[in-house]
Amino acid sequence: AQEDFDFIKYNPKSKFGLRLGAGISAVRGGNFQKPTPYFGYAAGFYHHGRIKKRSYFYYELSARFKGSNFNTNPDSNTYSKLALFYTELPLAYMYRLGKDEEKPFFLMAGGGGGLLVKSSMLLGPNPIPKHFDLPLKTGELFVMTGFHKYFGSVGLQLNAKWGLTDINRNNWAGFEDVKPSPDQKKPIKNWSIEFALIF
């Protein structure tokens, strides 16, 4: 039975795998008031391989549900949540700590890009979004750092991503009913922290 699972074991030269996780995210930049963390999920396929000795490369294609909650007044016209669905392509350099090549521990640093697929805004306590396809830019760039640890066939990854792109298009026509007004002409940038199982 053990031989049947050899294909998902860690290979120190080249590893293709699956990453499944969850994390928190929010927006920053001042365009939205009182942002608080939003809980969302992530899933993707990754590959990493050895460059030489303890140096490795890493890339991934993933889907990420993120956004932001807001600690604002709970009336029916006040925004309470942004829900954002992204596809992301992180690229990173990994450095292996220690001599163990079978159950290695890596430090990660890099960046990448995201593509906004769907966005929506919820108002007040209503669980159904009021506005869809928000005036946000489709693409964003981010930097990331974290660690990547294997325990055999399964491992853990923790990473933090800091958005560099102002995704605000500053075109909030049709959102006059929303309080506070989202038309503040200020930046909207993402950040997130993710914890995942890696296979």
Side-chain angles (χ1 to χ4, degrees):
Q2 181 64 34
E3 293 178 357
D4 293 338
F5 291 94
D6 283 347
F7 72 97
I8 65 171
K9 282 187 176 181
Y10 175 71
N11 183 331
K13 294 182 178 180
S14 180
K15 169 67 175 174
F16 288 92
L18 173 67
R19 187 175 74 92
L20 299 174
I24 59 172
S25 63
V27 295
R28 67 186 209 283
N31 198 76
F32 290 102
Q33 297 182 13
K34 301 180 181 179
T36 60
Y38 171 97
F39 183 82
Y41 299 96
F45 295 97
Y46 70 88
H47 172 236
H48 74 79
R50 177 182 288 161
I51 301 171
K52 64 177 182 178
K53 296 182 179 178
R54 299 189 182 193
S55 295
Y56 293 71
F57 66 87
Y58 175 96
Y59 64 91
E60 176 186 321
L61 180 62
S62 62
R64 178 73 165 96
F65 290 94
K66 58 185 179 181
S68 186
N69 290 311
F70 300 94
N71 187 21
T72 50
N73 295 326
D75 65 71
S76 60
N77 290 323
T78 302
Y79 54 73
S80 57
K81 181 183 295 185
L82 289 181
L84 308 174
F85 174 60
Y86 276 89
T87 57
E88 295 183 341
L89 180 63
L91 306 168
Y93 168 78
M94 302 203 309
Y95 183 79
R96 191 187 77 240
L97 299 179
K99 297 181 179 180
D100 191 346
E101 293 190 356
E102 300 302 320
K103 298 179 181 179
F105 181 90
F106 297 99
L107 296 179
M108 306 175 66
L115 183 67
L116 181 62
V117 178
K118 196 70 176 176
S119 61
S120 62
M121 175 185 285
L122 283 70
L123 302 182
N126 191 343
I128 300 174
K130 177 68 180 295
H131 296 282
F132 293 89
D133 299 324
L134 308 181
L136 303 175
K137 295 176 184 176
T138 303
E140 75 156 352
L141 298 175
F142 57 82
V143 292
M144 65 175 288
T145 186
F147 70 80
H148 195 87
K149 167 65 179 172
Y150 287 101
F151 300 96
S153 299
V154 180
L156 299 174
Q157 185 187 106
L158 177 68
N159 69 62
K161 297 175 182 174
W162 190 256
L164 301 176
T165 305
D166 175 11
I167 60 173
N168 191 358
R169 288 187 181 275
N170 293 310
N171 181 22
W172 293 90
F175 289 78
E176 291 78 10
D177 62 324
V178 177
K179 300 188 305 184
S181 173
D183 193 13
Q184 300 293 321
K185 310 300 182 186
K186 295 181 180 180
I188 301 172
K189 297 182 179 182
N190 290 306
W191 67 264
S192 65
I193 298 174
E194 301 175 16
F195 181 81
L197 292 174
I198 49 177
F199 302 93

